[in-house]
Each structure stands twice: as structure tokens, then as C-alpha cells.
Amino acid sequence: MNEIFIGKKSSAAGGWGALKSCGKQLLQSGSALSSARTMLKANQPNGFDCPGCAWGDPEHGSSFEFCENGVKAVSWEATQKRATPAFFAKHTVSELRKLSDYELELNGRLTHPMRYDAQSDTYLPVAWEDAFAEIGGILKNLNSPDQAEFYTSGRASNEAAYLYQLFVRLYGTNNFPDCSNMCHEASGIGLRQAIGAGKGTVLLEDFEKADAIFVLGQNPGTNHPRMLGDLRRAAIRGAEIVVFNPVRERGLERFSDPQAKLEMLSGGSTDIASHYYQPLLGGDMAAVRGMSKAVFAAEDAAIAAGHPSVLDHDFLSQHCEGFAEYRATVDATSWDEIEDQSGLSRHDIEQAANVYMSAEKVICTWAMGVTQHLHSVATIREISNFMFLRGNIGKPGAGLCPVRGHSNVQGDRTVGINEKPADAFLDALEKEFGFTAPRKHGHNVLGAIGAMLDGSAKAFIGLGGNFARATPDSALVAKALKNLKLTVNIATKPNHSHLMPGEVSFILPCLGRTEIDLNSTGQSQVVSVEDSMSMVHGSAGINRPASPHLLSEVGIIAGIAEATLGTQTVSWPALADDYERIRSHIEATIPGFDDYNTRLRTPRGFLLRNSAAHREWNTPTGKANFFAGTLPASTVHQQARTAQTRFALQTFRSHDQYNTTVYGLDDRYRGVYGERNVIFIHPDDLASLGAQSGDRVNVIGEYDDGVKRVAPDFRFVSYDIPRGSVAGYYPELNVLVPLGSAGDQSDTPTSKSVMVSFQKEAAA
């Protein structure tokens, strides 16, 4: 590792640094010109949907609807490097485990289906039909379908996800651990309780109309950079942008749009946040509660002075339930409690509330900084409460906007990837396909890991993703996977999940999003995806496949399904050969997909109607529901402060990373280069530890369950973060996230609320 790893931070997000990074990634792919041409088809009506984030596409897009992260994702997929059978013959699985995530995936695209050979500790090539037959045979011979776990990554298309859930339910289980379980589960649960719909209520065009935008627990500069363009345009026209984030993130401070010629030529940038507040980890709910308290105080003052009301009483009376109870709870919450838990002053909170009260149209947007805490569902309910006060749902320029991660994580859930399926959906499946669907709820991610550990799960099939590295408690998950009789990973590149084989293990290589998917007649197939704004649009690859031996995700699922179930109920080959047939089944079983195949051909697709956006509340009360719960008794930050020598850790991405895929070792927005084993910490906390930037430490997990958790040999980085809070990158720090700590109701790992301490002596 580099001895000098702390350097200059980018003065602004985007700009020439982004262009330089794009050039580097294109060159690294080995086919810079081809990759550059490919990018011109990204997020275009006649092209492919970017395999990166789920940010929406504008109604009137340009020729450059991509960002730095999109270039990284496409170049990473379009690399000329290949992980062939010769690569696997040269390296044992034990040897490959020693590689970092970055080094492993750098070996390139998978080219052949592979089967693990325990005797040689290597993967050997296998014929597709043999792989399908053996997988199907093992699944058929399990004592119960509930002994198998079927994981889904958010990059799978609607067609692949629907076929996958159909196969698994015909097989007989609802075991669908899904990447949603680890990120936005709390958003779906909280929003369904509050407004009767588990999705955001805004369109991309609403960002053009909002007077104020509140951004909570989110880092768009790294996680979904195209959002910065919309925030920049909002800031330029005078919208206030209020940020709540413990860490100072460059993209939320300043952004230089690579498509703004004058800004690029002058070296200028645009200020994004008009107000930037740094709450303590887990303190967002208290901060939002404080803003509501300030709104109520302003309402009381307005009434006393005979001024117009601050609250939208028409909205509250016509559309809301539980307002009086919420008001009483807020009144009973003291400012001392709010300030202590949020880490913000009353002045700052009232200042933010004044922005809200001065704006007619407000959007509130958030991501995993809100959803990965014990009390995340309650926080999202509190955000909804706050937005109800002035009727900021169901009108142009206003609404709730959870920003999803992978490009189709929302779509996968829409088309049936859910361990707790609705009865209406199962009824529709039974009617369409003539079978009895399983009704017992299945396993989510944490449930699946528990079943693997206790031996009740025997098989795991992963539709994309890197389960072993994305999940918490890495050492326990590795043990869980190795306990299994069967592991199957459908993937484009080698990753660490492939190196934890069960008794029988397969790697099945699939087409990437950018690659042409031909059916038996030579016609190019189109898949569909859903973005964070509930827009469904088509995606068709344009590049030649990395290997002639690749199958599409749909083709692989159909092959496994046919080998397991036969074709008596469903003709799997016919569906794999014509995705329009799959979409016809989706249309017949899921509301909102009327005339699916026709509407998918329209430029930029179509909108799935959100009832709450029209002020129709599909809740038991028939109204939008206030939540009158109290603040948490204490957050992880308050607990760490009491312990004195402990700290509250959050994990997040570096700028050269998307989820578990690491594109490089730099994080120029935070000024860290060539290094990933780092802990960001306040300079005063460093001084209190008798340490300085660059010192090496072991990071110790402090969760009282008897399990020893250590992340060895990390280096301190002095950073602008609240005292008592620290941060670092996943997946390296996932080893410290305990399986036993999960969000109330959501069962999401608490990756933003990890108690840790430091040991100065680094591991040998």
C-alpha cells in the first residue's frame, strides 16, 4: 500500500476530474473507442439502460445521458479482459481468495459455465446442459423447496426477475432474499404505512418545479451522479437545497457539470447546498422532529398574531389521519432531547424549518444514510409526517423521493421478488398459470443466512450480485455458504461469492446489460427496467457478447427451471425465446402494465401509476397516516458517547466503487488515493486517542453477542465528520456489521449504526 495516501480533494464534484476519470476507465477497458461509442447509447430510447444507478431519465434527454459512474460501469463490463477456463485452471480457489475485490474482478469477463472440483480446488468448464441437469437434480431431491434460497440482485431485468419468481413459486417456496432487504426495505415499509404506496411520489420533472429540496443521508456525487445535474439546475433557478449528512460530501457542496461548457472552460462550479447540516449518526429522526416542532411554534405564533396559517389545514383535514396525536407527541418532545440526539442546535433546526415554511413546493429525498439504522422505518414515517404538514405530497414540484441503488432494484420488487407476496398477486399467478402458489412467507437476506448457518438451508442460487461481500458479518456468511450442498452464482465477472463453494458449486456466466441478446431467429431481444421515479423503459444491448458461450439471465433461469420442473405447466424455452411472452404474463398478473409490449416501445417508456401521487391513499384508514411514535431511547452515537472509548461507525462507498464492485483505489472527492482500508475520523477524536492521520489500527466490533469481529490494519484519515462518528468503506468493513443488529420492522442490517473501538497495535 502507498505510504502517502492522503492528497488533495477535488474542489468540486464532476468537472475535469470526472472527464479524466472517464478517460482512464475507457483506456483500462482495452477498447476505449468502442466503449466511448457504447456510452452514446446509454439511457437512450434505442439503446440500453445504464447498469449503474436507478436515477430517472428526463423526458427530453440529450445525447449524453450518462455520468462518470455510468462510464465506469459500462467500461468495467465492456473490458477486453477474460476470465477463461485457463484462468481458473491456473489458480486454485484458495489462491483467488487472497485477492482483493478489485484485483479479482480485474481479471475480466467470465466466458464459460464452470463447476467447482474439490479435489483440485479449482473450477472446471462444464456444458450448459450438464450444469442445468445437476442443479435441477439437486433441487428436486431436497426434502423441501424451503431448503433452497433464491437471491436476486437489483441489476436483473423485469423479465428475468419475473421468470425467476415464477420458477421459484412453481417449485414451491417464497424464499427470496433480495438486495432490497439490505438497502431500501425501510422505505417501502414506512411509505406503505404512511401513504399506502411503497415507492416515491415524484417525477424527475418535479425537481424543475420545487422551491426547496431536502436531501437526507445521501451522497449523490458518488452514488447517482446524474442527480447532481438536476440539483445544479434547481440551485441555479433559486431553489433552496437543504442537506442533512454527517459527512461533508463534495458533490453536495459544489458541482461542475461536464456538459456546461462555460463552467468547464472557466474552471467554475455551482454551489449545491444552500444549507448543510451534519447530524450525528442516527440523529435524522430527531432533526426532522425538531423541524416539525419549529413549524408548530410558527403556526401558534401566526394564529396569535392573526396571520395566515403555516399549516395546510385543508390537506390535513381531508387527507390525513392521526394529526392531533402527532402534534401531542411533538409537543411532548423537548428541545434538549432533540438537540442531544440530532447533534444539531435548535438554531440550525429552526433555520432549516424556515426554509420549509417559506417554500410552496418541497421535495424530500433520502437514501441509505436513513434506511440502515435500527429506527429507519420510524425515521421515514417522521419524514412523511413533516411533509404532510404543508401538503407536500400529491402536487407538482413536491413529494417523497427515496433514491434506489441498482438500476432495477425497484422493478424487481414490482414484478414479484418479495419474500412476503401479497395474496392478490399470488391469486393472479394461480389464475394465469394454473397452480397452487406457496403462501407461507419466505426468507429475507438475514433469514436466509440464519437458515444456512443452522443447516436448514441446503442450496443457494444467486441471480447476479455478490452475496458474500454485500451482506453483513462477512466471516459468518462465508461459513454459511460453505455449509451448503449447492451454490450457484449467475454473474458476468468472478467475485468472492464464487470462492465460497458448497459441496457442489457452479458459476454460470451471463450477458451484460450492454450486450446483444439474440433469440433463436436472430432477433435482438429487449428487456425492461424501472427507475426510482417508477418509469418503465426498454433496454437493448448493442455490443457483441464477451463470449459465444454466454446465455442471458432469462435463458439461464429457463434452463434451471426446465431441468427442475419440466415443461408441463410452463414452456420455459418458449418464454426464453420471446420476452414479449413474459411481458404478456406480467401484464396479466400485475396492475399497471396494461398494453406492456406496445407502451415499452415508446421513447423513455411509461409511468407506473402511484396512487399516493394522486392523493389516493391505499391504507386501512383510507387516508395518509401520521405516526406518533417517540424518538429512540438512544442512538448508537449516544451509546458510544456514554462508553467514551467507543465510536459510531457508518459504512459507505468510495468514489471509485458501485456497491461491491470496486473500479479503482482512489476517492478523489475525499482526498484518499491508492488505499481502501481507511477510517475517517474527526481531528479532535484523533487527538483524544493520541493518534494522527496515517496511523494504523485494528477496528474492533463492539456488539455484545460473544462473536469476535476485527477489521485489521486500517489507517486513520482526519476528516470533517461529527465527533464520535467515524466512517469507512464497505465491503471491507462489513465484517463488523453484526447479523444480530437489524432495523425494527425492516430487518435491514444496521450498517450506519455500528459500535466500534480501536486497537493501536496493527495485525502482524
Side-chain angles (χ1 to χ4, degrees):
M1 295 182 181
N2 296 341
E3 285 306 312
I4 300 175
F5 69 102
I6 302 174
K8 184 179 179 181
K9 289 187 261 186
S10 298
S11 60
W16 291 107
L19 293 181
K20 182 179 178 181
S21 175
C22 290
K24 178 182 176 181
Q25 293 294 328
L26 292 171
L27 289 171
Q28 184 174 278
S29 73
S31 54
L33 187 59
S34 175
S35 294
R37 284 198 298 264
T38 300
M39 290 310 307
L40 295 178
K41 290 292 186 179
N43 302 314
Q44 297 298 321
N46 60 343
F48 63 91
D49 188 76
C50 177
C53 75
W55 191 247
D57 299 330
E59 184 177 359
H60 304 291
S62 71
S63 300
F64 298 94
E65 288 300 332
F66 58 86
C67 64
E68 178 184 350
N69 262 13
V71 173
K72 291 174 182 176
V74 169
S75 299
W76 201 244
E77 180 178 293
T79 178
Q80 292 300 301
K81 296 178 181 178
R82 300 288 182 264
T84 65
F87 164 77
F88 286 103
K90 185 178 178 181
H91 303 286
T92 66
V93 166
S94 299
E95 291 170 345
L96 292 174
R97 283 197 198 105
K98 298 175 184 177
L99 299 179
S100 68
D101 298 275
Y102 173 66
E103 292 168 330
L104 184 59
E105 292 200 34
L106 202 59
N107 286 287
R109 293 288 302 279
L110 296 162
T111 61
H112 293 69
M114 307 295 289
R115 185 188 189 280
Y116 179 65
D117 177 62
Q119 185 174 356
S120 64
D121 191 30
T122 61
Y123 275 97
L124 304 176
V126 62
W128 279 108
E129 56 269 26
D130 293 338
F132 292 150
E134 188 169 7
I135 294 166
I138 292 173
L139 291 177
K140 284 188 288 187
N141 287 318
L142 294 180
N143 292 332
S144 164
D146 290 332
Q147 291 185 317
E149 308 290 347
F150 297 88
Y151 177 71
T152 318
S153 162
R155 51 153 273 175
S157 67
N158 283 348
E159 292 73 15
Y162 185 84
L163 201 68
Y164 196 47
Q165 67 80 31
L166 177 62
F167 155 52
V168 173
R169 290 192 166 105
L170 280 164
Y171 175 60
T173 185
N174 284 311
N175 284 349
F176 283 110
D178 172 46
C179 62
S180 292
N181 301 145
M182 294 182 286
C183 56
H184 269 286
E185 196 71 56
S187 296
I189 292 171
L191 290 176
R192 280 193 294 274
Q193 293 173 356
I195 62 174
K199 303 178 183 181
T201 64
V202 304
L203 300 175
L204 194 60
E205 290 70 30
D206 287 317
F207 282 82
E208 301 171 2
K209 303 168 186 174
D211 301 315
I213 301 168
F214 282 66
V215 182
L216 281 72
Q218 187 178 0
N219 178 20
T222 287
N223 299 332
H224 24 265
R226 283 200 297 154
M227 182 181 180
L228 290 184
D230 293 289
L231 293 179
R232 174 182 176 273
R233 286 185 285 274
I236 288 173
R237 63 176 176 77
E240 301 261 36
I241 298 174
V242 181
V243 173
F244 289 85
N245 196 314
V247 181
R248 279 276 174 182
E249 299 290 10
R250 182 61 78 221
L252 289 168
E253 294 177 309
R254 289 183 295 280
F255 176 55
S256 180
D257 189 345
Q259 296 191 46
K261 297 177 183 178
L262 183 60
E263 202 164 70
M264 291 293 288
L265 289 173
S266 66
S269 61
T270 300
D271 289 341
I272 298 297
S274 56
H275 302 78
Y276 203 123
Y277 305 105
Q278 293 177 267
L280 302 176
L281 282 178
D284 299 275
M285 182 178 177
V288 178
R289 173 71 55 88
M291 288 193 291
S292 291
K293 194 172 183 70
V295 171
F296 287 139
E299 170 73 1
D300 292 344
I303 292 173
H307 294 158
S309 177
V310 173
L311 302 177
D312 186 338
H313 287 285
D314 288 341
F315 180 84
L316 293 172
S317 61
Q318 293 178 30
H319 294 284
C320 295
E321 185 76 21
F323 171 69
E325 293 82 357
Y326 176 64
R327 171 73 197 256
T329 298
V330 174
D331 288 345
T333 308
S334 70
W335 274 110
D336 285 346
E337 184 181 359
I338 289 168
E339 289 181 302
D340 186 65
Q341 192 163 106
S342 70
L344 301 175
S345 69
R346 177 174 177 175
H347 172 269
D348 284 345
I349 293 172
E350 289 178 334
Q351 183 183 59
N354 285 334
V355 173
Y356 178 73
M357 290 184 283
S358 299
E360 289 298 317
K361 296 163 290 185
V362 178
I363 290 172
C364 187
T365 176
W366 68 90
M368 289 191 290
V370 166
T371 64
Q372 290 184 325
H373 295 279
L374 285 170
H375 56 283
S376 291
V377 171
T379 302
I380 288 153
R381 294 298 305 274
E382 190 71 27
I383 291 170
S384 301
N385 292 341
F386 178 59
M387 295 290 279
F388 293 158
L389 296 180
R390 288 176 52 80
N392 275 303
I393 297 177
K395 64 182 182 183
L400 298 159
C401 182
V403 180
R404 315 285 175 165
H406 253 139
S407 65
N408 198 41
V409 64
Q410 184 161 303
D412 288 353
R413 183 58 61 89
T414 298
V415 300
I417 300 297
N418 192 337
E419 77 278 4
K420 298 176 181 177
D423 286 339
F425 175 61
L426 296 181
D427 291 343
L429 283 181
E430 290 179 344
K431 180 180 179 181
E432 180 75 0
F433 295 100
F435 77 110
T436 301
R439 298 279 167 161
K440 184 178 75 172
H441 288 170
H443 292 149
N444 60 14
V445 165
L446 297 189
I449 295 170
M452 294 178 202
L453 287 169
D454 68 22
S456 58
K458 304 295 183 183
F460 171 87
I461 297 180
L463 177 57
N466 186 354
F467 185 83
R469 298 295 279 162
T471 47
D473 241 335
S474 308
L476 285 178
V477 173
K479 177 183 176 183
L481 288 169
K482 293 174 188 176
N483 278 350
L484 298 174
K485 181 177 180 61
L486 172 69
T487 56
V488 179
N489 285 282
I490 300 167
T492 57
K493 283 189 169 186
N495 64 51
H496 274 278
S497 291
H498 309 160
L499 309 181
M500 300 167 190
E503 183 181 332
V504 177
S505 185
F506 292 92
I507 304 173
L508 304 181
C510 65
L511 295 171
R513 186 73 64 79
T514 65
E515 292 173 323
I516 299 170
D517 179 2
L518 298 178
N519 66 9
S520 62
T521 64
Q523 293 180 315
S524 178
Q525 304 241 54
V526 175
V527 297
S528 56
V529 297
E530 179 185 347
D531 63 31
S532 285
M533 281 73 182
S534 300
M535 291 293 298
V536 178
H537 48 273
S539 176
I542 63 170
N543 290 338
R544 180 181 300 174
S547 164
H549 303 285
L550 302 183
L551 293 180
S552 68
E553 289 177 322
V554 170
I556 294 171
I557 295 163
I560 296 173
E562 182 179 5
T564 306
L565 303 174
T567 57
Q568 184 174 357
T569 303
V570 173
S571 176
W572 305 103
L575 294 180
D577 201 47
D578 185 355
Y579 297 172
E580 290 203 356
R581 294 177 179 174
I582 300 175
R583 289 191 284 272
S584 293
H585 287 306
I586 294 174
E587 179 181 337
T589 53
I590 302 176
F593 286 91
D594 303 322
D595 208 13
Y596 194 176
N597 283 306
T598 299
R599 288 199 292 164
L600 192 64
R601 298 190 189 99
T602 61
R604 314 232 169 240
F606 61 93
L607 176 68
L608 289 177
R609 189 177 188 274
N610 184 314
S611 57
H614 298 271
R615 296 188 171 181
E616 300 165 7
W617 318 106
N618 293 326
T619 65
T621 65
K623 291 187 175 183
N625 295 316
F626 274 93
F627 169 69
T630 60
L631 295 180
S634 65
T635 64
V636 67
H637 196 285
Q638 290 171 306
Q639 297 161 23
R641 184 172 57 203
T642 301
Q644 295 183 345
T645 59
R646 296 182 177 182
F647 294 82
L649 166 73
Q650 67 164 321
T651 66
F652 54 23
R653 298 168 178 161
S654 77
H655 190 60
D656 263 359
Q657 169 183 2
Y658 198 80
N659 291 345
T660 59
T661 299
V662 178
Y663 301 121
L665 302 179
D666 295 343
D667 191 348
R668 71 177 190 276
Y669 289 174
R670 299 188 182 108
V672 175
Y673 298 89
E675 176 73 273
R676 286 187 57 81
N677 280 17
V678 296
I679 294 291
F680 297 93
I681 184 170
H682 192 281
D684 290 346
D685 283 332
L686 271 179
S688 71
L689 292 170
Q692 57 186 348
S693 279
D695 284 358
R696 296 183 181 275
V697 293
N698 295 333
V699 191
I700 313 298
E702 298 287 354
Y703 188 71
D704 189 18
D705 62 354
V707 177
K708 184 178 180 180
R709 297 179 177 87
V710 182
D713 200 20
F714 275 65
R715 303 216 279 182
F716 281 134
V717 175
S718 178
Y719 209 73
D720 189 352
I721 187 172
R723 289 208 66 182
S725 294
V726 296
Y729 305 132
Y730 71 81
E732 289 83 355
L733 286 168
N734 281 358
V735 67
L736 302 176
V737 183
L739 283 173
S741 179
D744 296 336
Q745 299 184 64
S746 69
D747 222 17
T748 295
T750 56
S751 299
K752 301 293 188 289
S753 295
V754 185
M755 184 89 77
V756 299
S757 62
F758 301 111
Q759 183 184 66
K760 288 186 180 180
E761 295 78 18

